[in-house]
Amino acid sequence: QHVLLERVEVRKNLEATTWYEARLCDVVLGTRVRLSFDNGVWPDREVPLNTVRRRLPLKPNAALELRPGDTVEVFVAASDHNPCGWALGRLVTLTNGVASVTLEGRPADAPPVVVRVNMMRPASYEQALDPYLLARRAVKVDVELHGWLTSTDSLGCLQQIRDVAHLAVAGAGTDGGGICLELSAGFGVQQERGAPSTWANGPQPDSVILIGSDAAVRRGEMLLRIHTMHQMDIEAFHKRRTRKLQLLEELQKKTPGSDGPHVAFEVDAGLVGRTCGRGGERVARVEADCGVEVRILDGCSRDAPATVTIVGPDEEKVQRARAELELISRSYPVGEGLASWVDQELPEITKQADLLSAAWATNGGSLDLCGTKPCIEDAILLLDNHREYFPVFQEMRKQVHEIQRSFEALDTAEEEAGLA
């Protein structure tokens, strides 16, 4: 089981018995770490490794197994001056889900504190962070992708790399200045009180900082280089697409004799119902949001396409209404042996691309995508990018298997030599 180091606990000094919750941001000179705190209640700070420990997940109902005399930790709520944390103490009584605890460091005659059992946990005996588990590597990215590093797409990519490679932190930043907090995996929401960040007060991010074990950093760098290689193509595609859309917009002409600026397009018979929505809700929403009128003319037969005409006060609103209303279907070939690999991410890709639907075709070798044209294009980009990772993960699984076999061989050799 891999325990991510992103969320940690820190105490003010080696004698303190209260551990405050924090986030690991960066490693400094291999002996210190930079931490951040929720809502910027404390500014970012560098602290020695021996005052920081991992925050392990709470075990359900663990507090119910405690007995009077056990060493425990009591939850301390966040305030305007301190983050939340856990204070060391000893359990005195536990009755009907309510406990009394004497806290360490308080005067001997101080009364016990009374807390509910869900605000208490067994004392953590987790050791301080091991510097050998905190390798750090700054991976430079091409100049063309510096802008991408500050995008939400980059944040999602780094989150995936962090989770797959079992990294502690993966974030955009600079080698000298460290990680930009708002652009690192695990810190998707900017801090409310404006805690310091490399991006806000220093140079533009030009690298991805990876922190974790040597193996995790190595895997993370491999995944990052694969993604950035394809991201260059994706960025170029978006630039071409933007230029073409601008050209199309300039070429739109008002048709003589029409009620005003308008556009007409055909809709496959099988998509008419989805285009309109239940009770015509999609059409009504587009008309209200864009200030246009939508007219639908059925085809000459049951299977013939319908014609949708959008009329509005200006060309911009007409084109925006079309982009929001027009649905297309597209068949996406998955490829042999990739069905299960694609299927595991299909719900998330459907959600991210805002597709209306994505279902396997009857032959099982392709996907039937349905949505607006921009959503279809986004989904294809995501699917293509996901497929590119397949050989990488196959190689990773192969390496993990080989490493495991090497360990087993070493164990066998030790037993035969009488060293086990």
Side-chain angles (χ1 to χ4, degrees):
Q1 180 182 4
H2 297 272
V3 179
L4 296 178
L5 292 173
E6 176 214 324
R7 288 194 170 271
V8 295
E9 296 173 347
V10 59
R11 54 181 174 175
K12 294 181 178 180
N13 53 63
L14 295 179
E15 289 73 36
T17 57
T18 298
W19 293 82
Y20 297 97
E21 296 186 356
R23 289 190 179 110
L24 175 64
C25 301
D26 208 345
V27 177
V28 183
L29 301 177
T31 60
R32 299 174 67 84
V33 291
R34 183 162 67 94
L35 303 180
S36 173
F37 302 88
D38 285 345
N39 300 323
V41 63
W42 286 349
D44 293 4
R45 59 182 60 183
E46 293 180 11
V47 299
L49 278 171
N50 60 2
T51 61
V52 183
R53 68 184 184 187
R54 292 186 298 180
R55 189 191 319 172
L56 299 179
L58 292 176
K59 296 181 179 179
N61 302 321
L64 297 177
E65 300 176 2
L66 294 170
R67 298 291 180 266
D70 288 347
T71 304
V72 299
E73 289 176 333
V74 175
F75 181 74
V76 180
S79 67
D80 290 338
H81 305 288
N82 293 300
C84 62
W86 296 87
L88 186 66
R90 189 170 298 276
L91 180 61
V92 178
T93 62
L94 178 58
T95 306
N96 296 328
V98 177
S100 61
V101 180
T102 57
L103 297 180
E104 294 287 336
R106 298 185 68 183
D109 57 350
V113 296
V114 178
V115 296
R116 298 191 63 83
V117 69
N118 60 355
M119 305 297 286
M120 181 177 64
R121 71 182 185 186
S124 173
Y125 292 101
E126 181 69 20
Q127 298 297 312
L129 292 186
D130 185 345
Y132 294 104
L133 296 178
L134 289 177
R136 179 189 189 273
R137 187 170 303 168
V139 183
K140 291 277 189 180
V141 301
D142 292 324
V143 174
E144 292 82 356
L145 295 181
H146 287 183
W148 172 77
L149 283 177
T150 62
S151 68
T152 54
D153 177 63
S154 164
L155 186 63
C157 170
L158 297 182
Q159 179 74 54
Q160 182 185 33
I161 290 174
R162 187 198 71 154
D163 293 344
V164 172
H166 301 295
L167 289 160
V169 177
T174 61
D175 190 13
I179 293 175
C180 169
L181 191 59
E182 293 88 343
L183 304 177
S184 62
F187 302 93
V189 179
Q190 294 191 3
Q191 297 191 15
E192 295 178 0
R193 301 190 183 182
S197 69
T198 301
W199 184 37
N201 302 313
Q204 185 82 1
D206 61 5
S207 305
V208 173
I209 312 299
L210 307 176
I211 299 175
S213 66
D214 285 331
V217 169
R218 185 171 60 254
R219 289 192 298 265
E221 181 176 7
M222 177 174 61
L223 291 173
L224 177 64
R225 293 201 181 281
I226 290 294
H227 184 86
T228 53
M229 178 178 65
H230 294 288
Q231 189 63 36
M232 293 285 290
D233 295 334
I234 294 172
E235 292 291 308
F237 165 80
H238 279 300
K239 290 181 180 178
R240 293 195 302 270
R241 178 174 176 269
T242 300
R243 287 197 298 268
K244 289 182 178 180
L245 288 176
Q246 291 174 345
L247 179 61
L248 285 174
E249 185 177 353
E250 294 172 358
L251 293 176
Q252 294 294 337
K253 300 295 182 179
K254 180 178 178 180
T255 303
S258 69
D259 296 333
H262 75 282
V263 66
F265 56 90
E266 291 187 342
V267 177
D268 291 340
L271 291 178
V272 173
R274 291 184 174 185
T275 299
C276 296
R278 181 177 298 179
E281 60 181 0
R282 289 191 78 241
V283 170
R285 176 175 56 80
V286 169
E287 288 181 330
D289 291 348
C290 301
V292 298
E293 179 184 351
V294 178
R295 305 168 183 171
I296 300 178
L297 179 64
D298 292 333
C300 57
S301 67
R302 182 175 182 180
D303 298 325
T307 300
V308 176
T309 302
I310 302 175
V311 179
D314 56 62
E315 198 66 34
E316 179 183 357
K317 291 183 178 180
V318 167
Q319 293 302 326
R320 181 160 66 92
R322 176 176 183 172
E324 294 182 12
L325 185 64
E326 184 177 18
L327 296 179
I328 61 175
S329 59
R330 184 78 55 85
S331 177
Y332 179 85
V334 173
E336 186 176 355
L338 292 174
S340 60
W341 172 251
V342 171
D343 190 64
Q344 66 183 0
E345 288 295 324
L346 185 58
E348 183 63 25
I349 290 175
T350 302
K351 180 180 178 181
Q352 289 185 15
D354 199 21
L355 289 176
L356 192 63
S357 66
W360 289 99
T362 54
N363 61 12
S366 61
L367 286 169
D368 293 330
L369 310 179
C370 180
T372 62
K373 185 177 180 180
C375 293
I376 293 286
E377 291 173 346
D378 290 343
I380 290 176
L381 285 176
L382 291 171
L383 287 165
D384 287 345
N385 191 41
H386 182 61
R387 290 175 58 193
E388 294 293 343
Y389 280 101
F390 182 67
V392 178
F393 287 109
Q394 280 188 316
E395 180 61 25
M396 287 172 56
R397 285 194 291 266
K398 178 181 177 182
Q399 292 182 15
V400 169
H401 180 66
E402 291 175 353
I403 292 171
Q404 184 62 34
R405 291 180 58 186
S406 299
F407 276 117
E408 292 172 356
L410 287 173
D411 290 340
T412 303
E414 287 181 351
E415 291 176 358
E416 293 176 352
L419 299 177

